Amino acid sequence: MAAIESPDLPRKLNIGVVGIGRIGREHAKNILHKIHRARLLVACSPAEEDLQWGAKELTPYGVKVVKTFEELIDTPGLEAILIASPTKLHSPQAHAAINRGIHVLVEKPVCATIDEVHAPKSATSPETLLNRQCLYRQLNSSRDRRPIPRQKSW
């Protein structure tokens, strides 16, 4: 059953999980059962096994389970996503969500190459601040020691 909103309680953030494979399932269960200020609204995966798991474990709690990322980001009321899909999809999925004004948390690694960090693909407003500090620390190797920017406005 989906939780009922009360004007006396703090509002819950509507979240979607992209990828409900091994780690995505853990994130989905945590959002569903342990994050009291969040509501798992939707989850997606193209894999039939993941969809069957979602139907059994998530649908009874009112979570919509869909097959594509496009269906997920088109879900009315979606405010944030947690990306736990294959690494090569992290950057395009994050940019697609950001361009729609959806908040994004990406499972590591955030992207596949350091060049994806520098590519301002998003058409977000100049006021949008993206904190990329941890991303630089994660991707920098011993031969690539670029300075770590604190915040960058795109």
Side-chain angles (χ1 to χ4, degrees):
M1 289 290 165
I4 298 173
E5 288 287 324
S6 167
D8 299 330
L9 297 174
R11 191 180 76 72
K12 292 187 175 196
L13 182 68
N14 290 321
I15 299 178
V17 173
V18 181
I20 48 174
R22 184 179 49 84
I23 195 67
R25 290 178 186 187
E26 295 304 313
H27 287 303
K29 291 188 291 188
N30 284 334
I31 294 167
L32 191 59
H33 300 297
K34 296 181 179 180
I35 312 296
H36 302 293
R37 298 275 312 268
R39 175 184 299 107
L40 183 58
L41 187 65
V42 61
C44 75
S45 175
E48 189 59 39
E49 178 185 330
D50 297 342
L51 295 172
Q52 290 173 2
W53 177 87
K56 179 182 175 192
E57 301 292 331
L58 304 177
T59 302
Y61 294 95
V63 179
K64 181 178 175 184
V65 179
V66 297
K67 192 168 186 150
T68 68
F69 173 74
E70 291 73 22
E71 289 176 278
L72 180 133
I73 62 171
D74 284 340
T75 301
L78 183 65
E79 299 172 283
I81 62 171
L82 189 154
I83 298 176
S85 57
T87 301
K88 67 181 179 181
L89 300 174
H90 288 182
S91 182
Q93 289 174 338
H95 285 289
I98 291 167
N99 287 340
R100 289 175 172 240
I102 297 170
H103 301 280
V104 176
L105 175 65
V106 183
E107 178 62 49
K108 65 183 181 182
V110 174
C111 55
T113 68
I114 196 75
D115 291 332
E116 288 179 289
V117 177
H118 297 291
K121 297 176 186 174
S122 296
T124 57
S125 69
E127 296 82 32
T128 301
L129 293 177
L130 302 176
N131 187 341
R132 304 183 305 169
Q133 180 176 352
C134 63
L135 177 63
Y136 272 86
R137 287 189 178 151
Q138 180 182 3
L139 292 178
N140 277 346
S141 67
S142 59
R143 64 186 181 324
D144 183 11
R145 293 290 182 197
R146 299 180 202 180
I148 301 170
R150 294 297 172 217
Q151 288 187 333
K152 173 141 178 126
S153 177
W154 289 356

